[in-house]
Amino acid sequence: EPELRVLCLHSFRTNAKILDVQLDMCGWRRRFPRVEFVVLDAPYACDDVDEAAMASPGNSGKPILEFFPKKDYGPYREWWNATADGEYRRLEKTLEHVAAFCRERGPFDGLL
């Protein structure tokens, strides 16, 4: 039984499956066997426009597309989107999503 449980939230336009692979690649599960890393998918799947933006030159999402192709790792996901004028669209629904997950699967001792 784990001594600690850590809720893990993946980065923008990746997903829980990708974060699982990243945790294994960096050896965290092996180095910390008494820690349970619990990953959660963001509530929103990227649409075709978002994915096209990820592939544009100079975009930081391009390596994600190359190393973690959608056909192998599933849809890329988002927590929210920030607009140019500073609005965080879908933030409230995302917070509700995380809170519901914590109620159902918690408690957690930390956050990654």
Side-chain angles (χ1 to χ4, degrees), residues 28-93:
W28 282 26
R29 287 192 173 101
R30 185 179 62 255
R31 287 186 195 133
F32 305 106
R34 294 180 295 190
V35 176
E36 178 184 6
F37 296 97
V38 182
V39 296
L40 171 63
D41 257 328
Y44 303 102
C46 294
D47 60 24
D48 293 338
V49 173
D50 295 330
E51 287 184 31
M54 290 172 68
S56 65
N59 189 298
S60 62
K62 194 168 184 178
I64 297 297
L65 296 170
E66 292 173 6
F67 293 111
F68 301 103
K70 182 178 178 178
K71 67 180 179 58
D72 297 327
Y73 291 91
Y76 306 108
R77 304 194 69 82
E78 302 176 331
W79 298 101
W80 59 78
N81 263 327
T83 63
D85 62 357
E87 177 189 356
Y88 288 86
R89 292 179 296 141
R90 306 186 299 206
L91 176 60
E92 290 300 319
K93 293 286 185 189

Side-chain angles (χ1 to χ4, degrees), residues 9 15 20 23 26 40 46 60-61 65 68-69 78 102-103 112:
L9 305 178
N15 61 39
D20 262 333
L23 288 169
C26 70
L40 171 63
C46 294
S60 62
L65 296 170
F68 301 103
E78 302 176 331
C102 289
R103 283 190 301 274
L112 171 82

